[in-house]
């Protein structure tokens, strides 16, 4: 039996929402509706007809800038030079609105982030050294 290998379809813009030790912690940020934020993002993904994917991560690393959301470009956005954008201090409805507006406009590589969201962009953390990359174990 012969089967053809088909390329996957275009990848949508994706949000990775940190929900580890600090992000999503009501004790650290008691005035933030963490569950409501994640619900809004997931509702937007469900309504996007496949143009947005939302997932969670245990810990993305920059705990001092919690809550962290990574906005990853779509296939077309990556083709046009877009790279993952890390948003820190994603704690209120205005920030969630800005993230959703940016994604609706195309996201990284296709649209500039709203000005207020651009102020919240943070650098991606450096990968931890590993023995496989010549780093030392501690």
């Amino acid at each position: 039996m012969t089967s053809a290998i088909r390329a996957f379809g275009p990848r949508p813009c994706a949000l990775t929402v940190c929900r580890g030790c600090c992000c999503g912690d009501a004790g650290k940020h008691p005035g933030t509706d963490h569950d409501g934020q994640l619900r809004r993002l997931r509702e937007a993904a469900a309504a996007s007809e496949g143009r947005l994917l939302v997932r969670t991560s245990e810990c993305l690393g920059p705990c001092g800038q919690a809550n962290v959301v990574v906005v990853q470009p779509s296939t077309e956005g990556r083709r046009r030079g877009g790279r993952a954008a890390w948003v820190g201090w994603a704690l209120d409805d205005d920030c969630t609105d800005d993230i959703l507006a940016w994604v609706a406009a195309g996201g990284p590589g296709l649209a500039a982030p709203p000005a207020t969201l651009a102020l919240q962009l943070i650098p991606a953390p450096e990968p931890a050294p590993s023995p496989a990359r010549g780093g030392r174990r501690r």
Side-chain angles (χ1 to χ4, degrees):
M1 180 166 140
T2 305
S3 62
I5 297 175
R6 290 183 287 164
F8 288 106
R11 186 181 70 205
C13 196
L15 303 178
T16 303
V17 183
C18 187
R19 285 297 182 257
C21 62
C22 296
C23 295
D25 183 351
K28 184 170 183 173
H29 299 289
T32 299
D33 182 3
H34 302 284
D35 292 335
Q37 178 190 51
L38 193 53
R39 185 174 46 256
R40 283 188 62 206
L41 296 173
R42 287 182 171 156
E43 286 171 356
S48 76
E49 298 177 354
R51 292 183 313 274
L52 174 61
L53 171 70
V54 175
R55 56 188 166 217
T56 59
S57 173
E58 267 307 303
C59 185
L60 292 171
C63 298
Q65 296 153 325
N67 287 349
V68 176
V69 176
V70 180
V71 183
Q72 296 172 309
S74 64
T75 300
E76 184 59 26
R78 187 163 293 279
R79 266 191 218 124
R80 294 187 187 190
R83 297 294 175 255
W86 289 61
V87 179
W89 308 284
L91 297 168
D92 59 24
D93 287 336
D94 290 340
C95 182
T96 302
D97 292 343
D98 284 348
I99 291 170
L100 291 174
W102 187 22
V103 169
L110 299 176
T116 52
L117 189 63
L119 296 172
Q120 291 179 248
L121 296 181
I122 60 174
E126 293 291 323
S130 71
R133 288 190 228 139
R136 293 190 343 230
R137 281 202 164 160
R138 295 181 182 179

